Amino acid sequence: MAPSAVTTEPPPTPQSKQLIPRSASDPTKEKTPLQAISQGICLPGIPLFSTHDKHRAWILSHMAGAFRVFARYGFTEGMSGHISVRDPENPHTFWTNPLGKHFATLKASDMVLVDYEGNAVGGNTSRPANAAGFLIHAAVHKARPDVNAACHCHGRAGKAWSAFARRLEMVNQDVCYFYGEAQAVYGEFGGVVFSEEEGGRLARALGEKGKGLILRNHGLLTVGHTVDEAAYLYTLMERSCEIQLMVEAAAANGIPKVYVDDEAAEYTFRMGSDPETLYCEFQPELEYERELSGGAFEN
């Protein structure tokens, strides 16, 4: 039996069950999520910068590092795929990758700065940006002032799950980072995005609180306060699609699913999906990439 023929919606929550707060003895009470997960001194969170230039240099190096992580995970597909990051000084402009350059070779100096009209206004102007990518990212940045970074690629598991045009289910702890309004589905597909209207519809589907978007017959898009957050969420969402497909295969053979209940899913989301924690989640990948490349992506 095909996975799509199996009923996979979570069982309804009984009306009498209420989501109750954690007890007063909860050790995470009065702590930030990052403090709660740190046994001992707290991990350092998102750094602050004294000048826009220093902030920009940091953003671009982390952006280039994220591309190299994506390459290592196999998220490349020809010229498809892009990351955008809002400029810290001129928030109506954003940085993105040059068209036709492999993710594994990208450096901070390769990035292109574009405005909301699609004009290249800074950075590396020797190559164009991706036109379809520009329309997607411009729409997201316009619609969501809280979003500083967005990632979109055509990963294998994301493309496979997108064929169902369905949300990821709360089948494990990690996918709870996309609980509730944190994930959405864009249920339309009109081919490569070459119209401003299509980009606008996509941004509206993401919603005001969305962190991850499943694009029907297309792939995934994630957003964040930092490029680190958006990149970590992309790797997590891609992996969650892979796990969901594995679960669907098992369910198709008659093995029943057990879902994370709403209270636990909401608590996990609240304690793990804030910008500081998600920034820190990506740092091990970035540190490993720095070791592999000798920091070449930072130039």
Side-chain angles (χ1 to χ4, degrees):
M1 185 181 295
S4 58
V6 179
T7 301
T8 56
E9 291 301 318
T13 302
Q15 292 299 314
S16 59
K17 182 177 180 180
Q18 300 294 321
L19 300 186
I20 58 175
R22 296 278 159 161
S23 68
S25 61
D26 182 354
T28 66
K29 192 175 178 63
E30 307 301 332
K31 291 183 178 181
T32 68
L34 193 56
Q35 289 171 338
I37 202 172
S38 299
Q39 185 68 34
I41 63 169
C42 185
L43 280 174
I46 303 167
L48 299 175
F49 299 90
S50 58
T51 68
H52 291 307
D53 286 343
K54 290 178 181 178
H55 192 185
R56 184 179 296 113
W58 177 83
I59 285 173
L60 293 177
S61 68
H62 281 231
M63 182 180 180
F67 275 116
R68 297 206 179 202
V69 171
F70 281 13
R72 179 157 45 85
Y73 274 95
F75 298 157
T76 58
E77 190 73 56
M79 294 193 295
S80 299
H82 13 84
I83 294 175
S84 66
V85 187
R86 197 186 298 273
D87 186 77
E89 184 175 9
N90 301 297
H92 59 286
T93 66
F94 59 87
W95 295 89
T96 190
N97 49 304
L99 182 65
K101 194 166 174 60
H102 197 282
F103 290 179
T105 69
L106 285 171
K107 297 183 291 187
S109 56
D110 289 318
M111 305 307 168
V112 186
L113 181 65
V114 296
D115 61 20
Y116 282 165
E117 285 68 51
N119 303 306
V121 295
N124 173 25
T125 57
S126 66
R127 279 179 182 256
N130 186 309
F134 161 75
L135 290 169
I136 292 172
H137 290 266
V140 170
H141 285 294
K142 286 179 184 178
R144 291 279 299 275
D146 61 308
V147 165
N148 288 322
C151 301
H152 168 63
C153 292
H154 295 179
R156 286 173 292 182
K159 285 194 292 186
W161 182 246
S162 77
F164 295 103
R166 293 177 53 190
R167 291 160 53 94
L168 290 163
E169 297 172 335
M170 300 297 105
V171 292
N172 59 62
Q173 174 178 294
D174 299 317
V175 76
C176 292
Y177 287 12
F178 296 107
Y179 176 73
E181 294 177 277
Q183 69 162 319
V185 175
Y186 180 56
E188 303 176 47
F189 180 73
V192 179
V193 179
F194 281 136
S195 74
E196 188 173 346
E197 292 76 15
E198 178 86 352
R201 288 193 294 269
L202 189 151
R204 287 191 293 276
L206 179 64
E208 296 180 358
K209 298 180 180 180
K211 290 175 175 285
L213 182 65
I214 298 167
L215 286 65
R216 194 197 92 191
N217 304 118
H218 191 163
L220 308 176
L221 176 114
T222 57
V223 300
H225 182 74
T226 61
V227 66
D228 310 73
E229 176 183 353
Y232 174 71
L233 287 173
Y234 187 90
T235 63
L236 177 60
M237 198 171 205
E238 181 73 26
R239 193 178 304 116
S240 296
C241 287
E242 182 180 4
I243 297 299
Q244 181 83 52
L245 291 164
M246 294 167 67
V247 170
E248 295 295 338
N253 288 315
I255 303 175
K257 298 178 185 176
V258 178
Y259 296 92
V260 177
D261 65 63
D262 282 338
E263 180 189 353
E266 187 279 331
Y267 181 75
T268 302
F269 171 79
R270 178 160 39 91
M271 295 306 295
S273 63
D274 66 296
E276 293 278 338
T277 304
L278 292 173
Y279 163 80
C280 288
E281 290 276 18
F282 193 64
Q283 298 318 297
E285 291 282 6
L286 203 59
E287 289 173 9
Y288 180 51
E289 202 58 45
R290 191 174 287 113
E291 286 289 325
L292 290 177
S293 68
F297 62 85
E298 298 176 308
N299 301 321

